[in-house]
Amino acid sequence: MKIMLDDFDYRILKILSENSRLSYAEIGRTISLSQSATKERVQNLLDSGIIKQFTVEVDYEKLGFPLKVVISMKFKNDEFRRFIDDVHQFPEILNCKRVTGESCLIAECVLKDSRHLEQLIDRLISYGIPTTAIQLSEIKTNSFFK
């Protein structure tokens, strides 16, 4: 079911995607709506499932995990299901997505260094064939509403 949004809703989504800590009053002032109207619209966006959650963006480099890696995985037999069951045992994996194509999964990881990467690969090999790519820089992030 497609939900109809107006310009105010899209402006609220844009503002929240840039800074989800703003108060309803601050958002309302920016888009010329009252605090209560803004709060009601945000609640409607939550109730409809358009806003799924409010999150924090972490600087993993400052936490000692400067190496960002993308790992694609190919699986043999039923190892895919076993990996899905065990993926929670890999705290280095921030996001894991099932994809079409040559690989079955793509995982975004943060690691301390190349030794940590080697250890992760050694753990992943029991599930399938990992292929790694080190992230050099970030070109585009979530900017749908910008």
Side-chain angles (χ1 to χ4, degrees), residues 73-100:
M73 291 286 296
K74 295 180 189 176
F75 297 94
K76 46 193 180 277
N77 303 326
D78 204 30
E79 299 304 320
F80 172 77
R81 293 280 171 221
R82 191 168 66 89
F83 179 77
I84 296 298
D85 291 342
D86 295 347
V87 72
H88 67 278
Q89 296 176 20
F90 296 88
E92 307 91 341
I93 297 177
L94 299 180
N95 297 302
C96 189
K97 299 173 184 348
R98 189 172 184 181
V99 296
T100 61

Side-chain angles (χ1 to χ4, degrees), residues 3-4 14 16 26 48 50 58 67 87 110 116 122 133 140:
I3 299 166
M4 299 302 291
K14 179 184 182 301
L16 288 174
E26 291 171 301
S48 67
I50 291 172
V58 175
L67 187 61
V87 72
V110 291
H116 190 182
D122 289 345
K140 183 177 188 267

Side-chain angles (χ1 to χ4, degrees), residues 9 16-17 24-26 41 43 57 60 62 71 85 92 98-99 103 107 111 117 122 130-131 144:
D9 295 318
L16 288 174
S17 71
Y24 298 126
E26 291 171 301
R41 284 175 176 270
Q43 190 60 53
E57 187 174 335
Y60 290 99
K62 289 182 179 175
I71 299 177
D85 291 342
E92 307 91 341
R98 189 172 184 181
V99 296
S103 297
L111 304 155
L117 173 58
D122 289 345
T131 302
F144 186 81

Side-chain angles (χ1 to χ4, degrees), residues 42-74:
V42 171
Q43 190 60 53
N44 288 340
L45 292 166
L46 283 162
D47 292 344
S48 67
I50 291 172
I51 295 177
K52 295 195 309 188
Q53 65 180 345
F54 296 94
T55 63
V56 173
E57 187 174 335
V58 175
D59 186 336
Y60 290 99
E61 190 168 343
K62 289 182 179 175
L63 293 176
F65 295 86
L67 187 61
K68 293 182 180 179
V69 176
V70 176
I71 299 177
S72 58
M73 291 286 296
K74 295 180 189 176

